[in-house]
Every structure is written in C-alpha cells, then in structure tokens.
Coordinates of all heavy atoms in Angstrom, one line a residue:
A1 N 55.0 -35.6 46.2 CA 53.9 -34.6 46.2 C 52.9 -35.0 45.1 O 51.7 -34.9 45.3 CB 54.5 -33.2 46.0
T2 N 53.4 -35.4 43.9 CA 52.5 -35.8 42.9 C 51.6 -36.9 43.3 O 50.4 -37.0 43.1 CB 53.3 -36.2 41.6 OG1 54.1 -35.1 41.2 CG2 52.3 -36.6 40.5
R3 N 52.2 -37.9 44.0 CA 51.5 -39.0 44.5 C 50.4 -38.6 45.5 O 49.3 -39.1 45.5 CB 52.4 -40.1 45.1 CG 52.0 -41.5 45.1 CD 53.2 -42.4 45.2 NE 54.2 -42.0 46.1 CZ 54.1 -42.0 47.4 NH1 53.0 -42.5 48.0 NH2 55.0 -41.6 48.2
C4 N 50.8 -37.7 46.5 CA 49.9 -37.2 47.5 C 48.7 -36.5 46.8 O 47.5 -36.8 47.2 CB 50.6 -36.3 48.5 SG 51.7 -37.1 49.7
I5 N 49.0 -35.6 45.9 CA 47.9 -34.9 45.3 C 47.0 -35.8 44.4 O 45.8 -35.7 44.4 CB 48.5 -33.8 44.4 CG1 49.2 -32.7 45.3 CG2 47.5 -33.1 43.5 CD1 50.2 -31.8 44.6
A6 N 47.6 -36.8 43.8 CA 46.8 -37.7 43.0 C 45.9 -38.5 43.9 O 44.7 -38.6 43.6 CB 47.8 -38.7 42.3
H7 N 46.3 -38.9 45.1 CA 45.4 -39.6 46.0 C 44.3 -38.7 46.4 O 43.1 -39.1 46.5 CB 46.3 -40.0 47.3 CG 45.4 -40.7 48.3 ND1 44.9 -42.0 48.2 CD2 45.0 -40.3 49.5 CE1 44.2 -42.3 49.2 NE2 44.2 -41.3 50.0
H8 N 44.6 -37.4 46.7 CA 43.6 -36.5 47.2 C 42.5 -36.2 46.1 O 41.3 -36.3 46.4 CB 44.3 -35.1 47.5 CG 43.3 -34.0 47.7 ND1 42.5 -33.9 48.8 CD2 43.1 -32.9 46.9 CE1 41.8 -32.8 48.7 NE2 42.1 -32.2 47.5
I9 N 43.0 -36.1 44.8 CA 42.0 -35.8 43.7 C 41.2 -37.1 43.4 O 40.1 -37.0 43.0 CB 42.8 -35.2 42.5 CG1 43.4 -33.9 42.9 CG2 41.8 -35.1 41.3 CD1 44.2 -33.2 41.8
L10 N 41.9 -38.2 43.5 CA 41.1 -39.5 43.2 C 39.9 -39.6 44.3 O 38.8 -40.0 43.9 CB 42.1 -40.7 43.3 CG 43.0 -40.9 42.2 CD1 44.1 -41.9 42.6 CD2 42.3 -41.2 40.9
L11 N 40.2 -39.3 45.5 CA 39.2 -39.3 46.5 C 38.1 -38.2 46.3 O 36.9 -38.4 46.4 CB 39.8 -39.1 47.9 CG 40.6 -40.2 48.5 CD1 41.2 -39.9 49.8 CD2 39.7 -41.5 48.6
E12 N 38.6 -37.0 45.9 CA 37.7 -35.9 45.6 C 36.7 -36.1 44.5 O 35.6 -35.8 44.5 CB 38.6 -34.7 45.3 CG 37.8 -33.4 44.9 CD 38.8 -32.3 44.5 OE1 39.3 -32.4 43.4 OE2 39.0 -31.4 45.3
T13 N 37.2 -36.8 43.4 CA 36.5 -36.9 42.2 C 35.8 -38.3 42.0 O 34.9 -38.4 41.2 CB 37.4 -36.7 41.0 OG1 38.4 -37.7 40.9 CG2 38.0 -35.3 41.0
G14 N 36.3 -39.3 42.8 CA 35.8 -40.6 42.6 C 36.4 -41.3 41.4 O 36.0 -42.4 41.1
K15 N 37.4 -40.7 40.7 CA 38.0 -41.3 39.6 C 39.0 -42.4 40.1 O 39.4 -42.4 41.2 CB 38.8 -40.3 38.8 CG 37.9 -39.2 38.1 CD 38.7 -38.3 37.2 CE 37.8 -37.3 36.5 NZ 38.6 -36.4 35.6
T16 N 39.4 -43.2 39.1 CA 40.4 -44.3 39.4 C 41.7 -44.0 38.8 O 42.7 -44.6 39.1 CB 39.8 -45.7 39.0 OG1 39.5 -45.6 37.6 CG2 38.6 -46.1 39.8
K17 N 41.7 -43.1 37.8 CA 42.9 -42.7 37.0 C 42.9 -41.2 36.8 O 41.9 -40.6 36.7 CB 42.9 -43.4 35.7 CG 43.0 -44.9 35.8 CD 43.1 -45.6 34.4 CE 43.1 -47.1 34.4 NZ 43.2 -47.7 33.1
L18 N 44.1 -40.7 36.8 CA 44.3 -39.2 36.6 C 45.3 -38.9 35.5 O 46.3 -39.7 35.4 CB 44.7 -38.5 37.9 CG 43.7 -38.4 39.0 CD1 44.4 -37.7 40.2 CD2 42.5 -37.6 38.6
H19 N 45.1 -37.8 34.8 CA 46.1 -37.3 33.9 C 46.6 -36.0 34.5 O 45.8 -35.0 34.6 CB 45.5 -37.1 32.5 CG 46.3 -36.4 31.5 ND1 45.9 -35.8 30.3 CD2 47.7 -36.1 31.5 CE1 46.9 -35.3 29.6 NE2 47.9 -35.4 30.3
I20 N 47.8 -35.9 34.8 CA 48.4 -34.7 35.5 C 49.5 -34.1 34.6 O 50.3 -34.8 34.0 CB 49.1 -35.1 36.8 CG1 48.1 -35.8 37.7 CG2 49.8 -33.9 37.5 CD1 48.7 -36.5 38.9
T21 N 49.4 -32.7 34.4 CA 50.4 -32.0 33.6 C 51.3 -31.3 34.5 O 50.9 -30.7 35.6 CB 49.7 -31.1 32.6 OG1 48.9 -30.1 33.3 CG2 48.9 -31.8 31.6
T22 N 52.6 -31.3 34.2 CA 53.7 -30.6 35.0 C 54.7 -30.1 34.0 O 54.7 -30.4 32.8 CB 54.3 -31.6 35.9 OG1 55.1 -32.5 35.2 CG2 53.4 -32.4 36.8
E23 N 55.7 -29.3 34.6 CA 56.8 -28.9 33.7 C 57.6 -30.1 33.2 O 58.1 -30.1 32.1 CB 57.8 -28.1 34.6 CG 59.0 -27.6 33.9 CD 59.9 -26.8 34.8 OE1 59.5 -26.1 35.6 OE2 61.2 -27.0 34.7
R24 N 57.6 -31.2 34.0 CA 58.2 -32.5 33.6 C 57.5 -33.1 32.4 O 58.1 -33.8 31.6 CB 58.1 -33.4 34.8 CG 58.3 -34.9 34.5 CD 59.7 -35.2 34.2 NE 60.0 -36.6 34.2 CZ 60.7 -37.3 33.4 NH1 61.3 -36.7 32.4 NH2 61.0 -38.6 33.5
G25 N 56.2 -32.8 32.2 CA 55.4 -33.4 31.1 C 54.2 -34.0 31.6 O 53.7 -33.7 32.8
D26 N 53.5 -34.9 30.9 CA 52.3 -35.5 31.2 C 52.6 -36.7 32.1 O 53.4 -37.6 31.8 CB 51.5 -36.0 30.0 CG 51.0 -34.8 29.2 OD1 50.9 -33.7 29.7 OD2 50.6 -35.1 28.0
L27 N 52.0 -36.7 33.3 CA 52.1 -37.8 34.2 C 50.7 -38.5 34.4 O 49.7 -37.9 34.3 CB 52.7 -37.3 35.6 CG 53.9 -36.5 35.5 CD1 54.3 -36.1 37.0 CD2 55.1 -37.2 34.9
Y28 N 50.8 -39.8 34.8 CA 49.5 -40.5 34.9 C 49.6 -41.2 36.3 O 50.6 -41.7 36.7 CB 49.3 -41.5 33.8 CG 49.2 -40.8 32.5 CD1 50.3 -40.5 31.7 CD2 48.0 -40.3 32.0 CE1 50.2 -39.8 30.5 CE2 47.9 -39.7 30.8 CZ 49.0 -39.4 30.1 OH 48.9 -38.7 28.9
A29 N 48.4 -41.3 37.0 CA 48.3 -41.8 38.3 C 47.1 -42.7 38.4 O 46.1 -42.5 37.7 CB 48.3 -40.7 39.3
H30 N 47.2 -43.7 39.3 CA 46.0 -44.5 39.6 C 46.0 -45.0 41.0 O 47.1 -45.1 41.7 CB 45.8 -45.6 38.6 CG 46.9 -46.6 38.6 ND1 47.0 -47.7 39.6 CD2 48.0 -46.8 37.8 CE1 48.0 -48.4 39.3 NE2 48.7 -47.9 38.3
D31 N 44.9 -45.4 41.5 CA 44.8 -46.0 42.9 C 45.4 -47.5 42.7 O 44.9 -48.3 41.9 CB 43.3 -46.1 43.3 CG 43.1 -46.6 44.7 OD1 44.1 -47.2 45.2 OD2 42.0 -46.5 45.2
A32 N 46.4 -47.8 43.6 CA 47.0 -49.1 43.5 C 46.4 -50.0 44.5 O 46.9 -51.2 44.6 CB 48.5 -48.9 43.7
G33 N 45.4 -49.6 45.3 CA 44.8 -50.5 46.3 C 45.6 -50.5 47.6 O 46.8 -50.1 47.6
D34 N 45.0 -51.0 48.7 CA 45.7 -51.1 50.0 C 46.3 -49.8 50.5 O 47.3 -49.8 51.1 CB 46.8 -52.2 49.9 CG 46.2 -53.6 49.6 OD1 45.1 -53.9 50.1 OD2 46.9 -54.3 48.9
G35 N 45.6 -48.7 50.1 CA 46.1 -47.4 50.6 C 47.3 -46.8 49.8 O 47.9 -45.8 50.2
L36 N 47.6 -47.5 48.7 CA 48.8 -47.0 47.9 C 48.4 -46.3 46.6 O 47.3 -46.6 46.1 CB 49.7 -48.3 47.6 CG 50.2 -49.1 48.7 CD1 51.0 -50.3 48.2 CD2 51.0 -48.3 49.7
T37 N 49.2 -45.4 46.2 CA 49.0 -44.7 44.9 C 50.2 -44.8 44.0 O 51.3 -44.7 44.5 CB 48.7 -43.2 45.2 OG1 47.6 -43.1 46.2 CG2 48.3 -42.5 43.9
S38 N 49.9 -45.1 42.7 CA 51.0 -45.2 41.8 C 51.0 -44.0 40.8 O 49.9 -43.6 40.4 CB 50.8 -46.5 40.9 OG 51.0 -47.6 41.7
V39 N 52.2 -43.5 40.5 CA 52.3 -42.4 39.5 C 53.4 -42.8 38.5 O 54.5 -43.3 38.9 CB 52.7 -41.1 40.2 CG1 53.0 -40.0 39.2 CG2 51.6 -40.6 41.1
N40 N 53.2 -42.6 37.3 CA 54.2 -42.8 36.2 C 54.9 -41.4 36.1 O 54.4 -40.4 35.7 CB 53.5 -43.1 34.9 CG 54.5 -43.4 33.8 OD1 55.7 -43.1 34.0 ND2 54.1 -43.9 32.7
M41 N 56.2 -41.5 36.5 CA 57.0 -40.2 36.5 C 57.7 -40.0 35.2 O 58.5 -39.0 35.1 CB 58.0 -40.3 37.6 CG 57.5 -40.3 39.0 SD 56.4 -38.9 39.4 CE 57.6 -37.5 39.2
G42 N 57.3 -40.7 34.2 CA 57.9 -40.5 32.8 C 59.2 -41.2 32.6 O 59.7 -41.8 33.5
A43 N 59.7 -41.1 31.4 CA 61.0 -41.8 31.1 C 62.1 -41.0 31.7 O 62.1 -39.8 31.7 CB 61.1 -41.8 29.5
P44 N 63.1 -41.7 32.1 CA 64.3 -41.0 32.6 C 65.1 -40.3 31.5 O 65.1 -40.9 30.4 CB 65.2 -42.1 33.3 CG 64.8 -43.4 32.5 CD 63.3 -43.2 32.2
L45 N 65.7 -39.2 31.8 CA 66.6 -38.6 30.8 C 68.0 -38.9 31.2 O 68.5 -38.7 32.3 CB 66.4 -37.1 30.9 CG 65.0 -36.6 30.6 CD1 64.9 -35.1 30.7 CD2 64.5 -37.1 29.3
L46 N 68.8 -39.5 30.2 CA 70.1 -40.1 30.5 C 71.3 -39.4 29.8 O 72.4 -39.7 30.1 CB 70.1 -41.5 30.1 CG 68.9 -42.4 30.7 CD1 69.0 -43.8 30.2 CD2 69.0 -42.3 32.2

C-alpha cells in the first residue's frame, strides 16, 4: 500500500522522491523507472 500511494503521489506532485511518515517511522520512496516504485521500509526489528 505504501508503494501504491507513493506512486500515486509522485504522479500527483511531479516529485521524484517522497518522505512518508507512518506508525512504523519515516519511510522514503522514489520512482524506480519502468513502471516500478521503490520504498525503504526501514530497518528490521530482530
């Protein structure tokens, strides 16, 4: 869902990178090209 929303907002705003806040913490997303979107889901908790 974060990836889908990031893609939507990137198209909406014309930005290439996003800073997204969630309960999980700060996440970052960017357009990866070829119709793909990348999101940094943060460090795993172990």
Side-chain angles (χ1 to χ4, degrees):
T2 302
R3 207 161 38 75
C4 285
I5 293 164
H7 178 74
H8 169 71
I9 296 178
L10 288 170
L11 289 177
E12 175 187 75
T13 62
K15 294 183 176 181
T16 57
K17 297 180 180 180
L18 289 179
H19 174 195
I20 300 166
T21 59
T22 70
E23 179 185 319
R24 160 73 167 142
D26 291 344
L27 307 179
Y28 298 88
H30 64 81
D31 184 348
D34 297 324
L36 303 179
T37 304
S38 292
V39 173
N40 183 349
M41 294 303 298
L45 303 178
L46 307 177

